Amino acid sequence: MRAVITVIGKDMVGILARVSSICAENNVNVVEVTQSILQDLFAMIMMVDISKCSIPFQDLVDALTAIGEGMGLTIHVMHEDIFNSMHRI
């Protein structure tokens, strides 16, 4: 099982480190990551493997959302099944 994590906000030191540390603490493997910085705007998309996640999915969502709020970022976590359903033609 995988999930997509998106992060948007003002660029600052430590965004990738904070998000990936929450993943590592909960046994969530980062499979792929892409990020861009456009002037002072940070944008990142991560594909993560949640099959061995040590906490319920909603708790992971809540933890990442809280980190985002604390840093002034918008962090959205979507289960792969929902992502695929939304983007199916």
Side-chain angles (χ1 to χ4, degrees):
M1 288 187 292
R2 297 184 305 177
V4 177
I5 301 171
T6 59
V7 181
I8 303 288
K10 185 170 173 38
D11 186 34
M12 67 184 81
V13 173
I15 298 173
L16 179 58
R18 292 290 301 274
V19 173
S20 60
S21 68
I22 293 295
C23 290
E25 289 168 11
N26 295 292
N27 208 30
V28 172
N29 187 40
V30 177
V31 177
E32 192 170 342
V33 62
T34 183
Q35 67 181 33
S36 294
I37 301 168
L38 307 168
Q39 295 182 9
D40 66 343
L41 178 66
F42 178 88
M44 178 171 69
I45 302 171
M46 300 175 90
M47 177 67 73
V48 296
D49 182 345
I50 57 171
S51 61
K52 296 180 182 175
C53 187
S54 57
I55 59 174
F57 181 72
Q58 188 58 51
D59 291 351
L60 177 67
V61 171
D62 294 344
L64 289 167
T65 299
I67 290 294
E69 289 172 355
M71 296 180 74
L73 304 167
T74 300
I75 299 180
H76 188 257
V77 185
M78 184 180 295
H79 195 282
E80 179 182 35
D81 293 341
I82 302 299
F83 182 86
N84 287 337
S85 293
M86 288 178 59
H87 295 90
R88 190 168 293 145
I89 297 176

